[in-house]
Amino acid sequence: MTGQTLDDIRELAQQLRVDSIRCSTAAGSGHPTSSMSAADLMAVLLARHLRYDWRRPDEPANDHLIFSKGHASPLLYSMFKAAGVVSDDQLMNGYRRFGSVLEGHPTPVLPWVDVATGSLGQGLPDGVGIALAGRYLDELPYRVWVLCGDSEMAEGSIWEAFDKAAYYGLSNLTAIVDVNRLGQRGPTELGWDIDAYVKRVEGFGCHAMPVDGHDLGDIDKALTHAAESDRPAVILARTRKGRGFSEVEDREGWHGRPLPAEMAERAIVELGGERQLTVSGPLPRAGTPRTRASGEVDLPRYEPGAKVATRLAYGQALAAVGARGDVVALDGEVGNSTHSEEFAKKYPERYFEIFIAEQQLVAATVGLSVRGYVAFASTFAAFFTRAYDFIRMSAISNANIRLCGSHAGVEIGADGPSQMALEDLAMMRAVEGSTVLYPSDATSAAYLVREMAARNGVVYMRTTRGAYPVLYPPDEAFPVGGAKVVRSGPEDQVTLVGAGVTLHNCLAAAGQLGEDGIRARVVDLYSVKPIDTQTLLAAAAATGGKMVVVEDHYAAGGLGSAVLEAFSEAGHPVRIAHLPVRGLPGSGTSAELMEAAGISAARVAQAARDVVRG
Amino acid sequence: MTGQTLDDIRELAQQLRVDSIRCSTAAGSGHPTSSMSAADLMAVLLARHLRYDWRRPDEPANDHLIFSKGHASPLLYSMFKAAGVVSDDQLMNGYRRFGSVLEGHPTPVLPWVDVATGSLGQGLPDGVGIALAGRYLDELPYRVWVLCGDSEMAEGSIWEAFDKAAYYGLSNLTAIVDVNRLGQRGPTELGWDIDAYVKRVEGFGCHAMPVDGHDLGDIDKALTHAAESDRPAVILARTRKGRGFSEVEDREGWHGRPLPAEMAERAIVELGGERQLTVSGPLPRAGTPRTRASGEVDLPRYEPGAKVATRLAYGQALAAVGARGDVVALDGEVGNSTHSEEFAKKYPERYFEIFIAEQQLVAATVGLSVRGYVAFASTFAAFFTRAYDFIRMSAISNANIRLCGSHAGVEIGADGPSQMALEDLAMMRAVEGSTVLYPSDATSAAYLVREMAARNGVVYMRTTRGAYPVLYPPDEAFPVGGAKVVRSGPEDQVTLVGAGVTLHNCLAAAGQLGEDGIRARVVDLYSVKPIDTQTLLAAAAATGGKMVVVEDHYAAGGLGSAVLEAFSEAGHPVRIAHLPVRGLPGSGTSAELMEAAGISAARVAQAARDVVRG
């Protein structure tokens, strides 16, 4: 059907309900009632407002549709069936089945899905990132439509998203909130108090539009007005969970439960039976994204011996990599600490200040990745813990995001433990398909920033606050997955493994050990994941399996674990003398805190002596 | 001074400014200007409203004061000096120094500090937890006063806090927002648009009170009204950063910078010189917390062989442990999945529904810990990633919190990867002083819930969705730090190590291997941290160092890493055949997904065969 009347759309909505019931009942799991409440909203959107060429999901002018309430996947997949891109057979036999692309919650294994959802409160912030791209980078008129649940309005990240949407004037973004008043285990906090939602949304600078979510004409008007609003629009739709089937409509106890077969039969009868309608909604206006000229990336060069903080090298290299027209940077209001301000000064039009909202910071980066941008986000490494759920989900979204966390470890000194990242390596290494980098000097940091731009998945770099000597000449290469033997000799007795600031401690320790007649090899493990097993094996073999691993990070899951895992995997288990940060640090100088934590040069030298003397 | 006039308080405020400048200049770091903006607010609070017996910080009727803007520590410590509990010498020679309790950001090494702050947006949610305790558990009239910065208003967690404060009617909570309009690197999003803040705060159900933050009379009235409000009060104070020293007042570029010595001298002159005032504010009204009778904890008993999910055992054991009158439970609106609803049904007055706001969920737990409650928080294990910054900070706060994450790993099946915790063991193990438990059956789960109640620090339990056979008799003990040899014989050739669902796979694999004539020992690693190194060493020794470790978790930082770390630490490195989850899972049955991930019984058996045959 094209040029649909409201009666046509009513039929479409009933089909979406029936199909949501059918596929979840067939699967034996899923959320039909959460789909039924939003079916009218999505039917009107699909038929009249979503400008999307279903045969060409890569068409850059297509609108974007995100189900922030990812559990309503039966509804989304039923829309795909109505759009003619998923067959009824696929829906009935694929939903939630092993090996199928119709997963329990949407993921981008489907070409019409931008981001994985299912952890609530993420689809909207991701949508903010896409809308930022549309407004400021692509300069295309596509709209971003996000279906939200009312339960997820309790997530702070939703308010970070509304705040940033308003701040950046993202009138190309429309959130549609399905206020069905029932959460997983009972009523939501605000129930059907639409006025309360209106006040919150307006307070956050967005345009609140209350509607009856089952009145097709009302919905149609709201969607039309949303598209014309000069602010981000938020449609607050009063709906009934399980709408259309009297046995479950607006009743508790039906969240996340498929209807039993005989109930499903009755429901389908009440909803007017099965239908096989297909719908042709509007197509996008033609358009291509604005592209920016790309120049040569001319990395900064540092003189060996000069003292330069890796965080500064990050910023300077990022500014250099900005010669690529597709590179974008974001920061959580600490750009003068992370040094992303170097990029901001050079390319203000490709820099987004996200202020102190780390969840939105990562989500915006994911959204920019959806549009193909090479986006780098930075804040203190400690504060990326704030966004771990978003980082985890971005791996499921197959997003390509680059994160740089500064101020790692006790090295930061006087600011104290709240500002010290001591868990970030464990956190980032655990993420599927991630890359974890931890340069020790400005030359390697700069090189690795360029590598980050070329790499897919979640790519993380950890930088250090203080300025330490440049170790490498400007033309040295630092491939991801490599390591450097920084100091070695034919008669080395022990290997010292460090990265970041602890590499400098290892070098100092090697010097002290030399005075005692102990020869130490030093390995720079700048690529923590993937790890250079061959270099580690060779060093261990050369030094009789004697190895000290030192890290400005807690004991579990960091550098030491990475080394042990690599050796075990290679079939050559090794005993390491492990020097991680022990105990809760306080304030002090870098030197005092590294000594107290047990990772200073003196402590490394002592551990090496103990290892050598056995 | 007691019975202070506003003129007295003006002097006190100047002293707070002067001392903030002096201590940060002496330390060479810190945030004097962020302290100066809030000095008038805090002077009035300290002199007239904060009911606190400074000599008895453990007095249960004392008010609570939290600096959510923890970087204003110079101001807080200057208040402690004015209260007579910190000497001028301590302040001048201790601030930010190694070994001193006057850390860069406040931590509870000081008896007047409840929680560590410094990661923005946490002090207020923590305060909500304390206010919950005051209103619903202690039933004491103490007030919770939280000083917030305006930059942190961008954190979603602040809005989770306002939302819950209003939902629970926490009129005993007052937030004081220091709207000095300048963040770290420039103006905040909203600047001095106090009206915008008012709309947001009122929209979230709190009582917004705009004040001139440098008008002492105005402040005094607002603090009085706040204490009388029937809703949580939010004082929105228009202030000037660096207030009182014309060279920096309301100027950019002075965030987080101590004044150089000669500037500090000029500032002190402009502020009227050094003072050594002490102040006696109001004392708390006498009162003791309501205590609840404690009965015997009668753990549920499960018949070996019966199929019971560990998540159900968690809920049932929690309800049993509720016989202790100090036990409290919270959940993120999934109590019917985590089974915390078992507790809620039995002790509704000690159960707090936090809805889908995991940051506030953990923060409320921290706040309840401040008041001495034994609080358990539960949600899906995957969603605790949302609160990692809060979990990390709770360790710095020395909080005792118990977290239970359900639905671990690919075992959950059809819901797909967004709902699967596959990074949680790495995340939780990395936390300083944490305990990580992962029971395989209902009996051990129940026992460990009781252990959790008795344990300090961050204590985490991971539970499984599906129901698996009870393995242990009801009276078996499961000490934290232990492991169980579930199956063994004198001629075992290989050790299979699992926990949670993979232990069942190990047992099934051992059965299959037996048919091939391979004898396998099986170890239940229910205590992941601390780990039972002795049992692992003994098993490895008995089986010639042949060991398979299987986990429903990604490869880095989980069970396998824990085992490798333990062996290395003990000086007996081992090679493990490691079977973690490989690749990104989709939907399917538990069996399909475990097979695809490489952690099924068949895959364990195959790995064991490979190991034995070498």
Side-chain angles (χ1 to χ4, degrees):
Chain A
M1 61 189 197
T2 55
Q4 299 87 351
T5 65
L6 290 185
D7 282 338
D8 294 334
I9 294 174
R10 190 165 292 112
E11 282 297 297
L12 173 62
Q14 295 298 73
Q15 170 172 314
L16 297 177
R17 290 188 169 95
V18 167
D19 287 345
S20 295
I21 291 169
R22 290 169 65 224
C23 72
S24 51
T25 292
S29 75
H31 298 73
T33 58
S34 301
S35 297
M36 293 159 80
S37 56
D40 294 320
L41 295 162
M42 291 299 101
V44 179
L45 180 73
L46 179 62
R48 293 194 173 173
H49 299 274
L50 181 73
R51 298 168 306 186
Y52 200 92
D53 186 340
W54 290 97
R55 301 292 158 192
R56 294 163 59 224
D58 291 335
E59 163 58 47
N62 278 342
D63 281 359
H64 290 263
L65 171 64
I66 297 175
F67 267 40
S68 196
K69 54 176 288 188
H71 55 288
S73 55
L75 174 60
L76 182 65
Y77 302 157
S78 296
M79 292 169 74
F80 293 163
K81 174 189 145 181
V85 291
V86 159
S87 70
D88 192 69
D89 178 64
Q90 253 186 302
L91 187 61
M92 292 300 292
N93 296 305
Y95 182 52
R96 288 179 166 247
R97 304 309 202 291
F98 182 71
S100 163
V101 289
L102 302 180
E103 295 185 12
H105 294 76
T107 75
V109 295
L110 288 163
W112 319 284
V113 172
D114 291 321
V115 291
T117 53
S119 176
L120 290 171
Q122 299 210 16
L124 184 68
D126 290 346
V128 166
I130 298 174
L132 277 174
R135 171 61 46 89
Y136 295 99
L137 301 170
D138 290 335
E139 298 177 13
L140 276 177
Y142 56 76
R143 294 198 66 73
V144 182
W145 308 91
V146 183
L147 179 67
C148 296
D150 48 355
S151 281
E152 68 180 323
M153 294 296 113
E155 287 282 14
S157 58
I158 288 288
W159 302 96
E160 293 184 12
F162 285 141
D163 179 51
K164 286 304 164 304
Y167 181 81
Y168 280 107
L170 300 179
S171 58
N172 53 344
L173 175 74
T174 301
I176 304 166
V177 187
D178 177 18
V179 186
N180 65 24
R181 89 164 185 90
L182 290 174
Q184 170 168 327
R185 39 119 299 292
T188 60
E189 272 175 283
L190 295 175
W192 274 326
D193 187 352
I194 299 288
D195 281 350
Y197 286 113
V198 168
K199 280 185 195 141
R200 293 181 183 198
V201 164
E202 288 283 338
F204 274 71
C206 297
H207 183 183
M209 301 180 176
V211 302
D212 174 342
H214 301 307
D215 180 323
L216 301 180
D218 210 15
I219 295 167
D220 190 42
K221 271 183 223 142
L223 291 171
T224 303
H225 291 158
E228 292 161 357
S229 172
D230 58 356
R231 289 184 291 159
V234 181
I235 295 174
L236 295 159
R238 181 182 160 126
T239 61
R240 294 164 72 87
K241 199 159 175 170
R243 169 72 169 187
F245 180 39
S246 49
E247 295 180 38
V248 301
E249 185 172 317
D250 194 35
R251 301 227 184 144
E252 292 190 35
W254 283 100
H255 181 93
R257 288 178 62 191
L259 303 185
E262 78 288 356
M263 247 180 120
E265 271 182 48
R266 291 197 298 276
I268 293 166
V269 169
E270 188 174 332
L271 289 161
E274 288 180 29
R275 298 162 182 81
Q276 302 297 336
L277 305 170
T278 55
V279 61
S280 297
L283 289 174
R285 299 177 220 165
T288 52
R290 172 175 167 177
T291 54
R292 287 170 179 78
S294 268
E296 280 297 297
V297 172
D298 200 8
L299 286 181
R301 296 170 73 85
Y302 303 100
E303 274 308 301
K307 287 191 174 180
V308 184
T310 51
R311 61 183 171 124
L312 178 60
Y314 168 77
Q316 293 174 335
L318 185 62
V321 170
R324 286 178 57 152
D326 58 355
V327 168
V328 180
L330 310 90
D331 200 280
E333 218 255 313
V334 288
N336 53 345
S337 291
T338 61
H339 286 291
S340 66
E341 67 177 10
E342 301 290 329
F343 182 96
K345 284 181 214 155
K346 198 161 170 188
Y347 302 106
E349 74 286 3
R350 282 187 271 141
Y351 178 83
F352 297 101
E353 179 59 73
I354 306 295
F355 297 91
I356 303 181
E358 294 80 7
Q359 297 185 95
Q360 181 59 68
L361 174 67
V362 171
T365 311
V366 170
L368 291 164
S369 160
V370 167
R371 293 297 309 184
Y373 290 96
V374 177
F376 286 75
S378 45
T379 183
F380 281 32
F383 303 144
F384 274 122
T385 56
R386 196 65 157 255
Y388 194 29
D389 197 14
F390 286 76
I391 295 167
R392 171 185 84 85
M393 286 295 293
S394 76
I396 304 175
S397 291
N398 284 320
N400 303 317
I401 63 173
R402 291 93 187 159
L403 308 178
C404 178
S406 68
H407 293 71
V410 302
E411 191 277 342
I412 66 160
D415 272 333
S418 63
Q419 321 291 302
M420 295 171 178
L422 290 163
E423 307 86 356
D424 59 318
L425 295 177
M427 168 176 102
M428 293 295 189
R429 283 206 317 122
V431 172
E432 166 66 12
S434 65
T435 299
V436 180
L437 306 170
Y438 185 17
S440 301
D441 87 334
T443 299
S444 53
Y447 188 97
L448 289 168
V449 170
R450 188 171 57 191
E451 295 294 293
M452 290 172 83
R455 203 158 169 92
N456 287 337
V458 175
V459 186
Y460 175 63
M461 174 180 282
R462 184 186 218 223
T463 63
T464 301
R465 178 176 187 273
Y468 294 86
V470 173
L471 301 172
Y472 301 102
D475 295 313
E476 184 99 8
F478 298 85
V480 171
K484 292 282 175 194
V485 179
V486 194
R487 176 183 168 133
S488 69
E491 295 179 33
D492 289 338
Q493 298 160 278
V494 59
T495 300
L496 312 180
V497 179
V501 68
T502 63
L503 182 72
H504 296 273
N505 297 352
C506 287
L507 285 168
Q512 295 173 19
L513 290 165
E515 292 169 20
D516 299 353
I518 295 175
R519 289 169 297 279
R521 178 166 299 203
V522 177
V523 174
D524 176 359
L525 206 64
Y526 65 82
S527 180
V528 181
K529 182 185 175 189
I531 196 167
D532 185 346
T533 305
Q534 290 313 313
T535 294
L536 289 169
L537 282 173
T543 58
K546 293 182 190 303
M547 184 167 278
V548 180
V549 181
V550 201
E551 55 184 314
D552 197 353
H553 184 276
Y554 282 136
L559 229 54
S561 304
V563 168
L564 291 172
E565 292 163 18
F567 276 102
S568 173
E569 181 88 13
H572 295 283
V574 72
R575 174 190 187 179
I576 61 168
H578 190 197
L579 275 57
V581 171
R582 307 265 184 204
L584 198 62
S587 290
T589 64
S590 297
E592 287 165 341
L593 292 170
M594 289 198 286
E595 179 64 26
I599 63 170
S600 63
R603 301 294 285 262
V604 176
Q606 190 52 52
R609 273 185 216 105
D610 292 346
V611 165
V612 169
R613 290 166 189 167
Chain B
M1 60 188 197
T2 54
Q4 299 87 353
T5 65
L6 290 185
D7 282 339
D8 294 334
I9 294 173
R10 189 165 293 111
E11 283 298 297
L12 173 62
Q14 295 297 73
Q15 170 173 312
L16 297 177
R17 290 189 169 94
V18 167
D19 287 346
S20 295
I21 290 168
R22 291 169 64 226
C23 71
S24 51
T25 292
S29 74
H31 298 72
T33 58
S34 302
S35 297
M36 294 159 79
S37 55
D40 293 320
L41 295 161
M42 291 300 102
V44 179
L45 180 73
L46 179 62
R48 293 195 173 173
H49 299 273
L50 182 74
R51 298 168 306 186
Y52 200 94
D53 185 342
W54 290 97
R55 301 293 157 191
R56 294 163 59 224
D58 291 334
E59 163 58 48
N62 277 342
D63 281 359
H64 290 263
L65 171 63
I66 297 175
F67 268 40
S68 196
K69 53 176 290 187
H71 55 285
S73 56
L75 175 60
L76 182 65
Y77 303 156
S78 297
M79 292 169 74
F80 294 162
K81 174 188 146 182
V85 291
V86 160
S87 71
D88 192 69
D89 178 64
Q90 253 185 301
L91 187 61
M92 291 301 291
N93 297 306
Y95 183 53
R96 289 179 164 248
R97 305 307 203 291
F98 182 72
S100 162
V101 289
L102 302 180
E103 296 185 12
H105 293 76
T107 74
V109 295
L110 289 163
W112 318 283
V113 172
D114 291 321
V115 291
T117 53
S119 178
L120 290 171
Q122 299 209 17
L124 184 66
D126 289 347
V128 166
I130 298 173
L132 277 175
R135 171 59 46 89
Y136 295 98
L137 301 170
D138 290 334
E139 298 177 13
L140 276 177
Y142 56 77
R143 294 198 65 75
V144 182
W145 307 92
V146 183
L147 179 67
C148 297
D150 49 354
S151 281
E152 67 180 324
M153 295 295 114
E155 287 282 14
S157 58
I158 289 287
W159 302 95
E160 293 183 13
F162 285 141
D163 179 52
K164 285 307 165 301
Y167 181 81
Y168 280 106
L170 301 178
S171 57
N172 53 343
L173 175 74
T174 301
I176 303 166
V177 187
D178 178 18
V179 186
N180 66 23
R181 88 165 185 91
L182 291 174
Q184 170 169 327
R185 38 118 301 290
T188 60
E189 273 174 283
L190 295 176
W192 274 326
D193 186 352
I194 300 288
D195 281 350
Y197 287 112
V198 167
K199 280 186 195 140
R200 293 181 183 198
V201 164
E202 288 282 339
F204 273 71
C206 297
H207 184 184
M209 301 178 175
V211 304
D212 174 342
H214 302 307
D215 180 325
L216 301 180
D218 210 14
I219 295 166
D220 190 41
K221 270 184 225 142
L223 291 170
T224 303
H225 291 159
E228 293 162 356
S229 172
D230 59 356
R231 289 185 290 160
V234 182
I235 295 175
L236 295 160
R238 181 182 161 127
T239 63
R240 294 165 73 87
K241 200 159 176 170
R243 170 72 171 189
F245 180 38
S246 50
E247 295 181 39
V248 300
E249 184 172 317
D250 194 35
R251 302 231 182 141
E252 292 191 35
W254 283 99
H255 180 93
R257 289 179 62 191
L259 303 184
E262 78 289 357
M263 245 179 123
E265 271 182 48
R266 293 197 297 277
I268 293 165
V269 169
E270 188 174 332
L271 289 160
E274 289 180 30
R275 297 161 182 82
Q276 303 296 337
L277 305 171
T278 55
V279 60
S280 298
L283 289 173
R285 299 178 221 166
T288 52
R290 172 176 166 175
T291 54
R292 286 169 180 78
S294 268
E296 280 297 296
V297 172
D298 200 9
L299 286 181
R301 296 171 72 85
Y302 303 100
E303 275 307 301
K307 287 191 174 179
V308 184
T310 52
R311 62 184 170 122
L312 178 59
Y314 167 77
Q316 292 174 335
L318 185 61
V321 171
R324 286 179 56 153
D326 58 354
V327 168
V328 180
L330 310 90
D331 200 280
E333 217 256 315
V334 288
N336 53 345
S337 291
T338 61
H339 286 292
S340 66
E341 67 176 10
E342 301 289 330
F343 182 96
K345 283 181 217 158
K346 199 163 171 189
Y347 301 106
E349 74 285 2
R350 282 188 269 141
Y351 178 83
F352 297 101
E353 178 59 72
I354 305 297
F355 297 92
I356 303 180
E358 294 81 7
Q359 298 185 96
Q360 181 59 68
L361 174 67
V362 171
T365 312
V366 170
L368 291 164
S369 161
V370 167
R371 293 297 310 184
Y373 290 96
V374 177
F376 287 74
S378 45
T379 183
F380 281 32
F383 304 143
F384 274 122
T385 57
R386 195 65 156 255
Y388 194 29
D389 197 15
F390 286 75
I391 296 168
R392 171 184 85 84
M393 287 294 294
S394 75
I396 304 175
S397 291
N398 283 320
N400 303 316
I401 62 172
R402 290 91 187 161
L403 308 177
C404 178
S406 68
H407 294 71
V410 303
E411 191 276 343
I412 66 159
D415 272 333
S418 63
Q419 320 291 301
M420 295 171 179
L422 289 164
E423 306 87 356
D424 58 318
L425 295 176
M427 166 176 104
M428 293 294 189
R429 284 207 315 123
V431 172
E432 167 66 13
S434 66
T435 300
V436 179
L437 306 170
Y438 185 17
S440 300
D441 87 333
T443 299
S444 54
Y447 188 99
L448 290 167
V449 169
R450 187 172 56 193
E451 296 294 294
M452 291 172 83
R455 203 160 169 90
N456 286 337
V458 175
V459 186
Y460 175 63
M461 174 180 283
R462 184 186 218 224
T463 63
T464 302
R465 178 177 187 272
Y468 293 86
V470 173
L471 300 172
Y472 301 103
D475 295 313
E476 184 100 7
F478 299 85
V480 171
K484 292 281 175 194
V485 179
V486 194
R487 177 183 168 135
S488 68
E491 294 179 34
D492 289 339
Q493 297 161 279
V494 59
T495 301
L496 312 180
V497 180
V501 68
T502 63
L503 181 72
H504 295 274
N505 297 352
C506 288
L507 285 168
Q512 294 172 19
L513 290 164
E515 293 168 19
D516 300 352
I518 296 175
R519 288 169 298 278
R521 177 166 299 202
V522 177
V523 175
D524 176 358
L525 206 65
Y526 65 83
S527 181
V528 181
K529 181 185 176 188
I531 196 166
D532 185 347
T533 305
Q534 290 313 312
T535 295
L536 288 169
L537 282 172
T543 58
K546 293 183 191 301
M547 185 167 275
V548 180
V549 181
V550 201
E551 56 184 316
D552 197 354
H553 184 277
Y554 282 136
L559 229 54
S561 305
V563 168
L564 291 171
E565 291 163 19
F567 277 103
S568 173
E569 180 89 13
H572 294 283
V574 71
R575 174 191 188 182
I576 61 168
H578 190 198
L579 274 59
V581 171
R582 307 266 183 204
L584 198 61
S587 290
T589 64
S590 296
E592 287 165 343
L593 292 169
M594 289 198 285
E595 179 63 27
I599 63 170
S600 63
R603 302 293 286 263
V604 176
Q606 189 53 53
R609 275 185 214 105
D610 293 347
V611 164
V612 169
R613 291 167 188 163

